[in-house]
Structure formats: C-alpha cells, structure tokens
Amino acid sequence: MAKSETDNKPKADRIVVDNSNLSELKATCDEAVERILSRHPQHGSSAKSHGFAPFKASHFHTDLRLVLGYTASAIMIGTSIWAYFIEKEWNRNKQACAIAVVAYIILSAIQMVDSYLQGNNIFTGTRKMLSNRIETEHLTIASPPLPKATKKGSKTPNGKPVLTPPAYTLQFEYTRKSNKGKSLLGRKSDSLPLGHLGEWFTEEGEFVEDIFEQRLLSGLQKAFGQ
C-alpha cells in the first residue's frame, strides 16, 4: 500500500474511499484523470515539473445526455400538468399524451445509444501547442474494467492468501495535427499501465493523488514521445 504524503493537507482536501469497494476505487482514479489533465499546473506539482500543458476537456456526451434527459422530463411533466389541470377530457388529450410518451421514449433511447457509443471513455480533450507552427493535439482516454486481484505465493498468519490489488491500465488515442487539422503529424493508440491500486491508495483508503499524477503524466509524455 502507498504511504500517505498528504499529512499537511487540510482534512477537507483529502480523498478517502472504501478499500474493499473496487468500483469506488476505480471511480476515484477515473475522476482524477480528467482533473489532472485539464487543470493548470501549480508550483511544485508533477505537472509543473514535467512541463505538462493542460488539455481543454470536452463534455459533449455528458451535456448531450443532460439536455435529452431534461427535455424528456419537461415534455412529460408539462403534458401531465396540461392534461390534469387544463384539458381533462381523455378523448381530447389522449393524442397529446401519446405523442409525449413517444417523444420521451425516443429521447431516452438516444441517451442510451450515446452512453453506449461513449463506452469506457473517461476523458476527451484538445490543446494547442506552438512549435514553429500551431499544432493541435487531441487525446481520448478509456478506462476498461479492472482485472481481478492476483494471488501472491505467501499467506497471512491466519492462512488466507495475500492478494495484489488489481492493476489500473488506461487505453489512449492521441493525434497531433497542424494546418487547421489538415496535416497529420502523429498518431498513437496504445495501453498505458500505471501500476496497481495499492500504489496510490493507503491502507486507510486515502487517495495519494501526487503518486497517481506522476504516473499518469510521465506515462503519457513517454507515450507521446515528449
């Protein structure tokens, strides 16, 4: 397990999760990916030491599903209020109610399709870099399901096997273009193993973001060839 390096942090800034809940551990890492890649480097941070320029995150899929959800809910609520308070006669309001139900089903279906198309993607971002010319970099990161914990050869005093926490591996697609996206300068698509969860979660379940950030940024820059 990782050793906490955040003793000087205010208690409110610490992230502590349930060590036995793999879904919670993975969600914490997934959320940290966007936070790290999109924030401006602070003095003394890993991003600053690596000279890492932040990406501008895109929330297109999330925003689209929110708009679809709000629209579908507004249609159903508005139609229900209209049918209950204004046009109470069923023979007169049934057509409008049927249209509202169909619209709700269609919008909900689009939400499901968009969620399916997004898949395991947890980050999509772009950034512009100046290197004799303006270059645009596009990065998409996916976080596949965690594998199972692996057993070590040793056992605990009570006879139970010692487990190594699941490995956390990301998959990324990276492109670099110039000339307003017309000239492709580079493209890479590969997996990015960062280590196992116990390397940045303490025994108490505290998330040591500095370790995770260093692994993520150094791994990406090495993959980018920077």
Side-chain angles (χ1 to χ4, degrees):
M1 285 290 181
K3 293 183 179 179
S4 176
E5 298 177 359
T6 57
D7 292 338
N8 296 325
K9 276 189 176 183
K11 199 168 183 179
D13 293 341
R14 297 183 178 183
I15 300 175
V16 181
V17 298
D18 181 3
N19 265 341
S20 63
N21 190 329
L22 290 181
S23 296
E24 192 172 345
L25 294 173
K26 182 179 182 300
T28 301
C29 296
D30 291 347
E31 292 170 1
V33 169
E34 178 175 330
R35 186 167 63 248
I36 292 169
L37 295 181
S38 60
R39 70 186 173 196
H40 290 280
Q42 298 177 347
H43 180 71
S45 66
S46 296
K48 191 74 172 180
S49 62
H50 283 84
F52 186 85
F55 284 82
K56 182 179 180 181
S58 170
H59 302 108
F60 172 78
H61 289 283
T62 302
D63 294 341
L64 175 61
R65 289 197 294 272
L66 283 174
V67 170
L68 291 172
Y70 284 136
T71 303
S73 299
I75 290 174
M76 288 301 297
I77 293 172
T79 304
S80 299
I81 293 174
W82 171 79
Y84 187 81
F85 290 103
I86 300 175
E87 187 56 77
K88 299 182 180 181
E89 183 63 38
W90 170 245
N91 289 330
R92 294 181 179 179
N93 66 33
K94 63 181 180 181
Q95 184 176 0
C97 291
I99 293 174
V101 170
V102 171
Y104 181 86
I105 293 174
I106 292 174
L107 293 174
S108 298
I110 295 175
Q111 278 185 299
M112 294 177 62
V113 171
D114 180 74
S115 180
Y116 174 79
L117 292 176
Q118 188 178 14
N120 294 321
N121 290 349
I122 59 171
F123 178 79
T124 300
T126 57
R127 67 180 179 184
K128 294 185 182 295
M129 305 292 285
L130 184 61
S131 177
N132 298 325
R133 55 191 169 185
I134 297 177
E135 299 177 356
T136 302
E137 298 176 327
H138 182 83
L139 176 65
T140 300
I141 295 180
S143 177
L146 292 174
K148 293 182 179 179
T150 57
K151 294 182 180 180
K152 292 183 178 180
S154 57
K155 293 185 177 182
T156 61
N158 58 6
K160 293 183 178 180
V162 178
L163 299 178
T164 299
Y168 184 77
T169 301
L170 299 173
Q171 296 172 341
F172 73 91
E173 292 184 8
Y174 167 79
T175 58
R176 190 171 82 254
K177 298 179 180 180
S178 66
N179 193 21
K180 297 182 179 180
K182 297 178 182 178
S183 301
L184 179 64
L185 302 177
R187 179 192 297 272
K188 288 190 178 181
S189 178
D190 204 352
S191 60
L192 184 67
L194 301 185
H196 65 72
L197 297 177
E199 296 180 42
W200 50 79
F201 282 102
T202 67
E203 293 181 356
E204 293 75 27
E206 183 177 347
F207 178 57
V208 186
E209 188 167 314
D210 290 342
I211 297 177
F212 185 81
E213 180 179 13
Q214 194 276 333
R215 296 284 182 87
L216 176 64
L217 296 183
S218 61
L220 283 176
Q221 289 193 303
K222 185 177 180 181
F224 296 166
Q226 298 176 351

